[in-house]
């Protein structure tokens, strides 16, 4: 795309203002010099991008400022095929390897070449997939889906503008052709994430989803791997492929599959850690011990491997926390920001997030790792000492939080929510119970309000939200739901709590990419639960007070947790379990167990009963209420699927 075409495209009324503003922001100082003649800087001319550099008085262009590169205007500058010779050599080596691969019979053994310039030792089969186009400098094709070079440039630009700050594992200086040369799987992962909010082609995400999944499993099955696969999996776990309600029939008694049965994010995070260990990322200074080939490893590659190891641990640990599962992350001395053995200091945001992740790791160790308890909960007599120890560590994080970026501060607030959520697992007769419950409520409201504030000022948090932030938002909503429908509700500002809960529901709908995907369905489920449980008008009689007394008998205590083995998100699972149990109060535990081993009655009977009890005015979307087999209620795709119509697990 040349400058003239891009200038014409920039004036179109159909152009996305978010993309236009991010690619070509114009400061007030720049606007005051619009009448000064200017020309593109060297970097923008090299990439054929629009440039807003000011020549006299000189003001660097916004793109060079954002990428932190030297902005220059040289009259003798001439465009070259590549910005550096190393990228050109990589492409040439890739082409030679492909030519060699066409002459080698597929015997199950991969032919490997030693190259001092390749960032990572790759196999022939891993470099070139038959479904991927060979000419990465023009366009890319994946199983019949072709994306032009100009579109790829926009997708990558959008990724680095909006998504990259959440997971800074890539180098913004490399082009899309460079990433496809390094790893087609990584290149397509970046393109797929950029396509999540791509108004130029709204169907691109749907068209790429199927072929991308095929490429994913082909890449995983191809041995050996490169550490660029770890990067791709880290991005995929951070922004999973949108999941819609699966209508595939299952052999389970419940019939159709639920979202938790088809969501592979936690599985991907485990595979990512295994590949990271196998490729030696946990020993970045000794990568040659794992490559099994004698070749030169540059210092840049060592630093890149170090950063990749840090990011994959952060991603894996975050996914484990929000799923209530044990973590495979290993925050050993390799990732200690205080050590001087690192070849180069990690970025500040990554170092700060490592400190927060280690705090979460300590929460799991101190509160949920008791081998003498079936649920793993720490003994009651040891809880005060464990909480005090964690609170001291949390105070230390608060003291240095002034240096945190807005996104890192949200991670710290999320950690506080997970810490104080232990209140729902405490003995209610404990003298510290009211204080812990109050802290849980306060941190939940603070997190929701902070996420709203960040989104207002940046206008990108919810549209490009990560799965960890989404599920922590769900966790905060469940905290509000439990507290505001209990006898403790009178101790808090219920009006503010109801307002923040409604705002969180709207935020989830903003996060949603497609109708009926996970954020959309969980927002609908939470809204109905909120109304069914009393809309935050708790009076100490449990769920279903006031006008809902005809549906609920008040026997369910919102602060009593039946589910206690899901660590810091146990209250989330408990909310949904209690909700479904309250819809069929006559069903005993034994009856629920029997439904898991035999055919259950149609779940839509419970749906019709709820519809009759609540009335049509309590439903946000009447069309969604007609979904069969409680399809909506299984939208909370962690484990609450339609097994026997109750979703009990």
């Amino acid at each position: 795309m040349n400058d003239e075409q891009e200038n014409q495209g920039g004036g179109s009324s159909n152009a996305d203002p978010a993309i236009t503003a991010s690619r070509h922001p114009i400061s007030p100082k720049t606007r005051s010099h619009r009448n000064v003649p200017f020309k593109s800087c060297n970097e923008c001319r090299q990439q054929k991008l629009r440039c807003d550099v000011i020549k006299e008085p000189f003001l660097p262009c916004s793109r060079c400022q954002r990428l932190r590169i030297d902005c220059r205007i040289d009259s003798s500058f001439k465009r070259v095929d590549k910005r550096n010779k190393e990228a050109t050599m990589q492409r040439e080596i890739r082409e030679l390897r492909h030519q060699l691969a066409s002459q080698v019979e597929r015997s199950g053994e991969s032919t490997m070449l030693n190259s001092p310039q390749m960032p990572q030792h790759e196999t022939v089969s891993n470099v070139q997939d038959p479904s991927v186009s060979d000419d990465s400098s023009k366009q890319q094709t994946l199983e019949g889906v072709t994306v032009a070079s100009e579109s790829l440039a926009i997708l990558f630009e959008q990724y680095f503008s909006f998504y990259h700050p959440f997971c800074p594992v890539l180098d913004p200086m490399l082009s899309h052709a460079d990433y496809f040369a390094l790893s087609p799987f990584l290149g397509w992962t970046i393109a797929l994430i950029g396509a999540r909010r791509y108004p130029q082609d709204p169907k691109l995400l749907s068209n790429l989803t199927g072929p991308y999944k095929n490429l994913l499993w082909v890449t995983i099955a191809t041995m050996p791997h490169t550490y660029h696969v770890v990067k791709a999996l880290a991005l995929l776990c951070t922004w999973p492929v949108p999941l819609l309600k699966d209508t595939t029939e299952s052999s389970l008694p419940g019939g159709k599959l639920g979202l938790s049965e088809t969501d592979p994010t936690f599985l991907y995070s485990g595979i990512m850690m295994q590949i990271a260990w196998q490729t030696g990322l946990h020993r970045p200074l000794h990568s040659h011990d794992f490559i099994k080939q004698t070749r030169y490893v540059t210092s840049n590659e060592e630093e890149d491997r170090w950063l990749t190891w840090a990011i994959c641990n952060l991603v894996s640990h975050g996914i484990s926390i929000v799923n209530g599962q044990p973590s495979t992350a290993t925050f050993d001395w390799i990732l200690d920001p205080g050590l001087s053995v690192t070849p180069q200091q990690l970025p500040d945001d990554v170092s700060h997030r490592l400190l927060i992740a280690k705090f979460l790791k300590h929460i799991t160790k101190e509160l949920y790792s008791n081998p003498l308890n079936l649920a793993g909960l720490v003994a009651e007599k040891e809880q005060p000492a464990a909480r005090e120890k964690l609170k001291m560590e949390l105070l230390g994080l608060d003291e240095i939080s002034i240096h945190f970026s807005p996104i890192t501060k949200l991670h710290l607030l999320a950690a506080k929510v997970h810490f104080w959520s232990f209140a729902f697992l405490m003995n209610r007769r404990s003298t510290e119970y009211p204080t812990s419950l109050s802290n849980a409520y306060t941190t939940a409201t603070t997190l929701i309000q902070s996420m709203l504030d960040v989104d207002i000022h940046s206008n990108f948090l919810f549209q490009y939200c990560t799965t960890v932030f989404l599920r922590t938002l769900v966790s905060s909503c469940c905290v509000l739901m439990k507290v505001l429908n209990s006898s403790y509700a009178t101790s808090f500002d219920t009006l503010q709590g109801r307002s923040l809960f409604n705002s969180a529901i709207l935020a989830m709908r903003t996060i949603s990419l497609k109708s009926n995907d996970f954020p959309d369905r969980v927002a609908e489920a939470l809204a109905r639960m909120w109304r069914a449980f009393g809309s935050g008008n708790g009076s100490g009689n449990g769920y279903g007070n006031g006008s809902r007394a005809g549906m609920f008998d008040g026997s369910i205590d919102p602060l009593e947790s039946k589910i206690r083995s899901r660590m810091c998100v146990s209250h989330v699972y408990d909310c949904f379990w209690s909700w479904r149990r309250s819809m069929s109060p006559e069903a005993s535990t034994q009856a629920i167990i029997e439904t898991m081993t035999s055919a259950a009655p149609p779940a839509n009977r419970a749906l019709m009963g709820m519809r009759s009890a609540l009335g049509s005015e309590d439903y946000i979307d009447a069309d969604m209420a007609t979904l069969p087999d409680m399809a909506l209620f299984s939208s909370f795709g962690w484990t609450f699927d339609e097994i026997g119509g109750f979703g009990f697990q």
Side-chain angles (χ1 to χ4, degrees):
M1 178 182 296
N2 56 33
D3 294 343
E4 180 180 359
Q5 290 175 330
E6 185 156 339
N7 290 334
Q8 292 176 355
S12 173
S13 59
N14 296 328
D16 185 36
I19 298 178
T20 304
S22 64
R23 296 178 62 194
H24 315 295
I26 301 177
S27 63
K29 184 176 180 180
T30 304
R31 294 192 186 98
S32 64
H33 295 84
R34 294 293 292 179
N35 58 341
V36 179
F38 68 95
K39 62 188 300 185
S40 299
C41 68
N42 298 350
E43 290 292 333
C44 292
R45 291 175 61 189
Q46 170 64 31
Q47 297 299 324
K48 293 185 177 180
L49 295 177
R50 192 177 184 182
C51 185
D52 55 359
V53 66
I54 301 301
K55 187 176 181 181
E56 294 180 359
F58 182 80
L59 179 65
C61 70
S62 57
R63 179 175 179 272
C64 290
Q65 292 180 9
R66 178 175 59 81
L67 298 179
R68 298 180 180 179
I69 56 181
D70 188 16
C71 186
R72 295 182 179 180
I73 300 179
D74 298 330
S75 57
S76 59
F77 176 81
K78 294 183 179 180
R79 293 187 68 255
V80 295
D81 183 54
K82 285 295 180 181
R83 283 179 291 178
N84 54 69
K85 295 182 179 180
E86 182 179 0
T88 304
M89 296 180 65
Q90 291 173 5
R91 187 176 69 254
E92 293 174 353
I93 293 173
R94 180 174 178 270
E95 294 174 354
L96 292 174
R97 291 164 67 88
H98 177 59
Q99 294 176 10
L100 179 61
S102 62
Q103 303 175 8
V104 177
E105 296 181 355
R106 295 186 177 182
S107 59
E109 298 182 358
S110 300
T111 303
M112 305 183 70
L113 297 179
N114 296 331
S115 171
Q117 298 296 333
M118 291 294 289
Q120 169 66 8
H121 205 67
E122 299 181 347
T123 63
V124 171
S125 56
N126 220 18
V127 173
Q128 181 67 30
D129 187 270
S131 61
V132 181
S133 172
D134 182 52
D135 190 358
S136 60
S137 62
K138 295 183 179 179
Q139 64 183 23
Q140 295 292 335
T141 301
L142 183 64
E143 292 188 8
V145 181
T146 301
V147 183
S149 178
E150 293 80 2
S151 299
L152 286 173
I154 297 176
L155 292 173
F156 274 63
E157 179 74 16
Q158 180 155 327
Y159 169 82
F160 284 109
S161 297
F162 299 108
Y163 297 94
H164 179 70
F166 293 99
C167 187
V169 70
L170 302 179
D171 183 3
M173 294 296 295
L174 298 181
S175 66
H176 63 86
D178 296 330
Y179 280 108
F180 275 98
L182 290 174
S183 170
F185 177 51
L186 176 58
W188 282 114
T189 302
I190 302 172
L192 185 75
I193 295 174
R196 293 165 68 93
R197 304 283 183 181
Y198 187 54
Q200 288 87 337
D201 187 358
K203 295 183 179 180
L204 180 59
L205 179 61
S206 300
N207 295 337
L208 283 176
T209 297
Y212 175 81
K213 290 181 178 179
N214 296 335
L215 177 63
L216 163 67
W217 290 111
V218 168
T219 304
I220 292 176
T222 303
M223 299 290 290
H225 299 106
T226 71
Y227 78 96
H228 300 293
V229 175
V230 176
K231 292 183 178 182
L233 289 174
L235 299 180
L236 180 61
C237 292
T238 307
W239 295 280
V241 177
L243 287 176
L244 303 180
K245 181 61 184 176
D246 197 337
T247 58
T248 306
E249 294 295 332
S250 171
S251 59
L252 297 176
K256 297 178 181 179
L257 292 173
L259 286 182
S260 69
E261 295 173 320
T262 58
D263 183 8
T265 305
F266 185 66
L267 172 65
Y268 292 158
S269 67
I271 296 175
M272 173 185 64
M273 290 301 299
Q274 293 291 337
I275 297 177
W277 286 323
Q278 188 174 25
T279 55
L281 286 182
H282 61 299
R283 296 293 181 264
L285 299 181
H286 301 84
S287 56
H288 55 275
D289 295 342
F290 301 87
I291 296 176
K292 305 300 181 183
Q293 293 287 331
T294 303
R295 71 175 182 86
Y296 175 70
V297 178
T298 64
S299 59
N300 290 336
E301 180 181 340
E302 290 179 350
E303 296 167 2
D304 192 30
R305 294 172 69 90
W306 202 296
L307 176 62
T308 304
W309 174 241
I311 291 295
C312 76
N313 274 274
L314 290 174
V315 171
S316 176
H317 190 63
I319 295 298
S320 299
I321 288 293
V322 297
N323 280 277
Q325 298 283 5
S327 174
T328 57
T330 55
F331 300 103
D332 54 8
W333 59 271
I334 289 293
L335 298 179
D336 192 336
L339 296 180
S340 59
V341 296
T342 55
Q344 181 176 345
Q345 187 70 23
L346 291 171
D348 290 340
D349 284 350
V350 177
S351 298
H352 295 157
R353 286 184 57 188
L354 283 174
L355 296 175
I356 298 172
K358 290 180 181 179
F359 170 68
L360 288 171
K361 188 87 170 181
H362 295 160
I363 292 177
T364 302
K365 179 181 179 181
E366 298 292 336
L367 300 179
Y368 304 104
S369 301
N370 182 12
L372 302 179
N373 185 278
L374 293 179
L377 299 178
V378 63
E380 185 175 344
K381 63 180 180 180
E382 299 176 0
Q383 290 180 11
R387 288 197 302 270
E388 285 300 322
K389 181 179 179 180
L390 292 171
K391 283 193 290 185
M392 292 300 296
E393 186 175 353
L394 187 58
L395 288 175
L397 290 175
D398 284 333
E399 291 178 356
I400 64 174
S401 62
I402 58 175
H403 305 293
F404 291 177
S405 66
I407 294 177
T408 306
K409 288 181 179 179
L410 290 181
H411 280 286
L412 179 58
L413 284 174
K416 291 182 179 180
V417 171
H418 296 316
F419 170 54
W420 290 113
S421 295
F422 185 77
F424 298 107
L425 303 176
M426 292 174 58
N427 188 337
R428 297 176 62 179
R429 293 188 297 271
S430 172
T431 57
E432 298 182 6
Y433 177 78
T435 301
S436 297
L437 190 67
S438 176
N439 289 332
Y441 178 85
T442 302
T443 53
T445 55
T446 303
L447 174 69
I448 296 175
Q449 185 62 62
S450 299
M451 293 183 73
L452 294 172
D453 292 340
V454 172
D455 184 73
I456 290 175
H457 290 90
S458 63
N459 197 28
F460 78 96
L461 175 62
F462 293 136
Q463 287 195 349
Y464 310 99
C465 185
T466 66
T467 185
V468 170
F469 279 148
L470 168 61
R471 296 196 174 188
T472 306
L473 186 63
V474 173
S475 177
S476 300
C477 287
C478 289
V479 172
L480 268 60
M481 191 180 304
K482 278 181 168 288
V483 174
L484 293 181
N485 287 285
S486 71
S487 58
Y488 288 89
T490 56
S491 303
F492 303 101
D493 187 349
T494 56
L495 181 62
Q496 179 202 33
R498 290 195 296 268
S499 175
L500 288 176
F501 185 91
N502 293 331
S503 298
I505 296 299
L506 294 177
M508 294 178 197
R509 299 191 184 279
T510 304
I511 296 172
S512 174
L513 295 173
K514 297 182 179 180
S515 176
N516 215 28
D517 64 356
F518 175 81
D520 185 49
R521 297 177 71 83
V522 75
E524 184 72 19
L526 285 172
R528 296 191 183 192
M529 289 173 60
W530 179 256
R531 292 168 180 251
F533 290 163
S535 299
N537 295 315
S539 60
N541 297 325
Y543 292 134
N545 300 289
S547 62
R548 271 74 174 179
M551 178 178 177
F552 301 104
D553 58 5
S555 61
I556 299 178
D557 188 344
L559 297 180
E560 181 182 359
S561 294
K562 297 293 183 180
I563 295 180
R564 305 172 66 83
S565 60
R566 302 308 292 264
M567 296 191 284
C568 56
V569 292
S570 296
H571 66 289
V572 178
Y573 291 86
D574 188 77
C575 277
F576 283 78
W577 184 90
S578 300
W579 174 46
R580 295 182 180 186
R581 187 184 68 169
S582 64
M583 289 192 302
S584 300
E586 71 281 3
S588 63
T589 303
Q590 182 63 31
I592 295 176
I593 296 177
E594 291 175 357
T595 60
M596 298 178 65
T597 57
S598 61
N604 57 356
R605 295 178 185 175
L607 174 62
M608 296 176 62
M610 184 177 183
R611 186 176 184 179
S612 175
L614 295 182
S616 59
E617 69 277 8
D618 285 323
Y619 277 82
I620 297 178
D621 190 343
D623 294 334
M624 295 293 289
T626 62
L627 293 177
D629 298 330
M630 292 183 66
L632 172 66
F633 303 142
S634 63
S635 64
F636 192 72
W638 292 3
T639 56
F640 292 95
D641 295 325
E642 41 206 0
I643 300 178
F646 294 96
F648 177 81
Q649 181 162 337

